[in-house]
Amino acid sequence: MSEASPAPAPPPPLYPDTPDMAHLHWRDPGLIGRVRLALRVLLIVLMLIVCVPLYYVWRTLRLSNPWPKLFLRGVGRACGAKVRVVGTPLKRDVFYIANHLSWLDIPVIAGRNGSAFVAQDGIKSWPVIGWLCNLNDTVFVSRTNRLGIAGQINELRDALAETWAITIFPEGTTTDGSKLLPFKSPLLQVLDPPPPGVLVQPIYLDYGAQAHDIAWVGEETAPNNALRLFTRQGSFWVTMHFLEPFSPADFPGRKAIAAEARARIDAALCASLGREPAV
């Protein structure tokens, strides 16, 4: 009598347990998910149709332009983000420094404070997205052209003078929200010495229990991450903690400014997770 053939091994889980691998796969959301995707995309397209012409009208009349802020707030809401604000955001002459989990951070932040952003130059060539970034006065920088850092700093100074508020994500990449990466300080050279009257205000973005589901980490592509967000069920809360601002003049040097901002954001992150900040 021949021995029985071994049972076939079970298929690997679609979503492995490790946080980095959990975002590598996107599965078909089914009919309901496709309906959510269609409705959310339609809503964003309708907002574009309304906001872009009004943006150019306000720009032609040289009026203070609210339309990028309103459009980005609508994008965040279309993705399911409901924003809760803790603390008092500065209105102008401010350099925001924030932790970074997802591309969704941009509409979440700008939808509340109207800030311009610093982004990697590769995004500038993205269809539609690069054009929208330009409308919001995004400053594009190169991660590889270290020799061009002086020119990028000059662009930042000009943008800060024109838009009054700029946000950067000094981690340089996204995380799953459970920790902070080291802050990269070269672009903070714009604050050494600081322009007159400019303050630094750290921002801690807290996606709560949804952080792992929202975060764009690992090898996941931008389209897959967007599809996951546009097809997911329900809404979620994002808490924006506008932490106590400080004068960069009190922390001379870009590394000292980066360290102070990171320490304040890390303290807020650890408080939300119920653990002690690292010394």
Side-chain angles (χ1 to χ4, degrees):
M1 183 175 179
S2 61
E3 295 184 1
S5 300
L14 188 60
Y15 291 99
D17 293 333
T18 57
D20 285 343
M21 293 297 292
H23 301 275
L24 294 183
H25 305 282
W26 175 79
R27 58 185 172 189
D28 190 321
L31 178 60
I32 299 300
R34 293 192 193 100
V35 171
R36 292 191 200 105
L37 173 64
L39 290 176
R40 284 167 170 160
V41 170
L42 177 61
L43 179 57
I44 291 174
V45 170
L46 290 175
M47 288 188 297
L48 270 176
I49 292 172
V50 172
C51 292
V52 170
L54 292 172
Y55 166 86
Y56 284 110
V57 170
W58 258 247
R59 183 175 177 180
T60 301
L61 297 175
R62 298 188 177 184
L63 300 174
S64 178
N65 211 319
W67 298 107
K69 176 180 177 180
L70 293 175
F71 170 73
L72 288 168
R73 180 177 293 196
V75 169
R77 194 66 189 91
C79 292
K82 297 192 292 184
V83 180
R84 180 190 296 115
V85 174
V86 176
T88 304
L90 299 178
K91 300 297 184 183
R92 57 175 297 164
D93 297 329
V94 55
F95 203 92
Y96 295 111
I97 297 179
N99 61 315
H100 197 18
L101 284 80
S102 167
W103 58 268
L104 188 59
D105 300 342
I106 292 174
V108 164
I109 293 174
R112 287 300 179 277
N113 63 16
S115 168
F117 288 84
V118 175
Q120 59 169 309
D121 56 355
I123 295 175
K124 191 173 185 177
S125 61
W126 288 10
V128 182
I129 301 299
W131 169 65
L132 290 174
C133 288
N134 275 319
L135 294 188
N136 197 50
D137 299 315
T138 299
V139 178
F140 295 101
V141 299
S142 173
R143 291 182 179 178
T144 57
N145 182 17
R146 296 185 179 276
L147 297 178
I149 192 68
Q152 295 170 6
I153 289 171
N154 288 334
E155 286 185 43
L156 271 175
R157 289 185 187 275
D158 293 342
L160 188 55
E162 182 176 345
T163 63
W164 303 336
I166 287 182
T167 299
I168 68 167
F169 302 109
E171 290 170 287
T173 188
T174 51
T175 71
D176 63 3
S178 65
K179 62 182 178 181
L180 284 180
L181 298 176
F183 278 13
K184 299 176 180 179
S185 63
L187 288 178
L188 293 178
Q189 189 69 45
V190 68
L191 299 174
D192 185 24
V198 170
L199 297 178
V200 172
Q201 185 164 34
I203 299 174
Y204 167 51
L205 294 176
D206 181 9
Y207 286 81
Q210 305 299 322
H212 280 275
D213 192 34
I214 302 302
W216 178 17
V217 296
E219 300 300 321
E220 185 180 35
T221 64
N224 275 6
N225 182 267
L227 284 170
R228 284 200 301 105
L229 290 185
F230 278 111
T231 58
R232 72 186 305 278
Q233 182 178 3
S235 57
F236 54 92
W237 283 101
V238 185
T239 304
M240 288 182 65
H241 296 263
F242 286 93
L243 306 178
E244 190 67 23
F246 63 90
S247 172
D250 294 337
F251 299 88
R254 57 184 172 85
K255 292 184 179 181
I257 295 169
E260 179 63 19
R262 189 183 187 282
R264 296 187 184 206
I265 296 172
D266 189 52
L269 183 152
C270 290
S272 73
L273 297 177
R275 70 184 188 213
E276 291 295 322
V279 178

